[in-house]
Amino acid sequence: MSVSAREVAVFEDSRPRLEAIAYRLLGSATDAEDAVQDTFLRWHAADREHVETPAAWLTKVLTNLCLNQLTSARARRETYVGMWLPEPLLAGDRMLGPLDTAEQRESVSMAVLTLMERLSANERAVYVLREAFGYSHAEIAGILELTEVNCQQIYRRAKQHLAGARARADVDESAARVVVEEFLAAATGGEIERLVRLLTDDAQNIGDGGGKIPARTTPIVGALAVARFLRGLFRPSPAKRNALGGTPAIYAEVANGGPAVVVVIDGNVVGVMCLEMTAGRVAALRVQVNPDKLVRATRQWPGSGHGKPLIAAW
């Protein structure tokens, strides 16, 4: 069945929202793109004349495709090499979706995306649709084919599971740059005491290399241990430049709504370190260096509006 220009337009109008839902559900931009494309194929094959509300129909199809993907993704993660972290998105990426409310911003933070891995597929879907997109429990019940009461119970459970997330400090782009500038000055200067003061006592450093780039397979915990690790990490050497494949430039950016260190070589994003802030200090550093999870960031980099690097040639 062919798709008319109007029906393609209907889908494209929904695409940004579908992408944002899929990313929050899957924690992967690549998987989200696949889910949205599969949704379009279902739209192409559907008897569209009998679809009364296309936006609702598309949301239901996408959500159920994502639930299926979550099941297989979790099976894959059981054999994943090292720590698994979500795929970071740079500021301005439309896949981040609406960021108007604290709940919407929180739902796309690296901390919450990581914690959502603990949720069941239905808990994750209910939480995302309710918290980030404001769907009513009745609407969610229709999407997931559950009762409204069941959806309310699932939502409460999801909130309880995520209650351990720290209260995150919202920072705008200029404030994020100040945070990263101070952090980088301490890290590259090798000042252990200064770094410790910037970190919470129970700060963590978590890295995801996906078995392709060297990264620790367990978190580093505690301000002093993290500070010592960072001092070594940011100490430049020819061996490190060779391992990276060139001389990196280091930028202060915003990723997933929070301050981030972005490392770029010849226009390719090779690392994103997201800083989780709480009470004015860094509570966690989530470092994504798996090249498979930096493809979209590299694609978005030229149009991200980034300024000059803090370190032009590390």
Side-chain angles (χ1 to χ4, degrees), residues 38-311:
D38 286 346
T39 302
F40 177 74
L41 295 177
R42 302 291 179 94
W43 176 243
H44 184 279
D47 185 358
R48 294 177 298 279
E49 290 184 359
H50 293 87
V51 176
E52 293 183 5
T53 311
W57 187 94
L58 291 168
T59 300
K60 180 171 183 174
V61 170
L62 173 89
T63 301
N64 284 286
L65 285 169
C66 287
L67 293 181
N68 292 335
Q69 279 204 40
L70 276 174
T71 302
S72 60
R74 284 179 173 165
R76 293 196 306 272
R77 286 169 199 166
E78 289 178 2
T79 59
Y80 192 82
V81 178
M83 304 289 291
W84 184 94
L85 288 175
E87 184 173 344
L89 296 181
L90 302 178
D93 192 319
R94 75 177 187 184
M95 195 173 278
L96 289 168
L99 299 172
D100 300 324
T101 67
E103 292 77 15
Q104 289 170 338
R105 292 189 293 274
E106 198 69 32
S107 71
V108 82
S109 71
M110 294 298 285
V112 169
L113 285 174
T114 303
L115 278 176
M116 280 201 287
E117 290 295 301
R118 303 177 184 178
L119 304 182
S120 71
N122 275 345
E123 286 172 344
R124 190 160 183 164
V126 171
Y127 177 83
V128 166
L129 292 172
R130 178 68 177 162
E131 198 80 354
F133 295 91
Y135 283 85
S136 69
H137 286 297
E139 290 171 318
I140 297 170
I143 291 169
L144 299 179
E145 297 183 356
L146 301 170
T147 66
E148 187 172 347
V149 171
N150 198 3
C151 281
Q152 292 170 338
Q153 293 170 339
I154 290 171
Y155 178 67
R156 282 196 294 272
R157 285 202 304 270
K159 292 277 284 185
Q160 289 168 358
H161 288 315
L162 297 177
R166 297 173 186 264
R168 188 178 66 121
D170 276 339
V171 293
D172 59 23
E173 190 168 342
S174 60
R177 185 176 180 86
V178 171
V179 168
V180 177
E181 283 177 349
E182 186 175 4
F183 171 79
L184 273 179
T188 57
E191 301 174 58
I192 291 289
E193 296 80 7
R194 185 177 175 187
L195 271 172
V196 168
R197 289 196 298 271
L198 293 175
L199 301 166
T200 61
D201 293 342
D202 59 348
Q204 294 188 38
N205 184 94
I206 304 166
D208 179 352
K212 300 185 177 184
I213 300 294
R216 286 180 59 105
T217 56
T218 56
I220 300 168
V221 182
L224 183 58
V226 171
R228 285 173 173 164
F229 172 77
L230 291 171
R231 181 179 63 176
L233 180 68
F234 281 99
R235 183 180 294 136
S237 70
K240 288 178 182 176
R241 294 188 189 100
N242 288 336
L244 289 169
T247 301
I250 303 178
Y251 294 80
E253 296 295 328
V254 174
N256 291 75
V261 177
V262 178
V263 182
V264 180
I265 297 177
D266 296 331
N268 295 310
V269 176
V270 299
V272 177
M273 175 184 282
C274 294
L275 281 60
E276 179 188 335
M277 303 298 300
T278 183
R281 293 195 289 171
V282 179
L285 300 106
R286 293 180 173 83
V287 187
Q288 186 56 260
V289 291
N290 182 346
D292 293 343
K293 297 184 182 181
L294 297 171
V295 172
R296 186 177 178 92
T298 293
R299 197 164 68 229
Q300 300 293 103
W301 181 249
S304 66
H306 58 82
K308 294 181 179 180
L310 292 180
I311 301 174

